[in-house]
Amino acid sequence: MEAILEATLKALCPRTFVSVAPSGTQTPFVVWQQTGGRDVSYVDNGNAKRHARVQISVWASTPMQASGLRSQIEAALRPLESLTCTPSAAHHMAYEPDTKLHGVQQVWEIWA
């Protein structure tokens, strides 16, 4: 799952990082991290499917740039055949006053 997600995001934005971007990274950039998930097991304790709750954050110099890249990510994730990707809710916007970066964050439910 992680390799497919990483490749999909990097195809849209080469500056894609797991958990945290290095200080001073040029914008726009994407940060993703797994924030949980559900265990789905069979009665014999075998793994049925893998589930992850993944937060994807886009950081950019303007709100519209961040929002545009977020829209591209959604358009790329929804039709994937190798993963089932569904947003758990609408995105929310953020602003980091120290870096003056605008962000758009969305949590995804991903099944593999």
Side-chain angles (χ1 to χ4, degrees):
M1 182 205 71
E2 290 87 350
I4 296 167
L5 180 60
E6 179 84 1
T8 302
L9 295 174
K10 279 192 179 239
L12 298 170
C13 183
R15 291 174 302 281
T16 293
F17 306 95
V18 179
S19 297
V20 65
S23 180
T25 298
Q26 180 183 353
T27 61
F29 62 88
V30 175
V31 175
W32 68 274
Q33 62 185 7
Q34 184 170 343
T35 60
R38 287 180 262 167
D39 177 55
V40 180
S41 300
Y42 291 116
V43 176
D44 68 357
N45 207 26
N47 190 15
K49 278 199 134 188
R50 184 158 176 229
H51 174 260
R53 182 171 293 114
V54 176
Q55 178 176 295
I56 300 174
S57 303
V58 177
W59 294 98
S61 56
T62 70
M64 296 310 291
Q65 185 182 36
S67 184
L69 183 51
R70 188 222 54 91
S71 294
Q72 290 176 29
I73 290 169
E74 182 170 349
L77 291 180
R78 283 186 179 268
L80 283 177
E81 291 184 13
S82 52
L83 300 175
T84 302
C85 302
T86 308
S88 66
H91 67 275
H92 69 274
M93 299 176 111
Y95 179 72
E96 288 291 330
D98 292 341
T99 60
K100 298 187 179 12
L101 293 180
H102 297 269
V104 176
Q105 300 168 332
Q106 191 164 27
V107 175
W108 287 80
E109 305 291 334
I110 301 178
W111 292 90

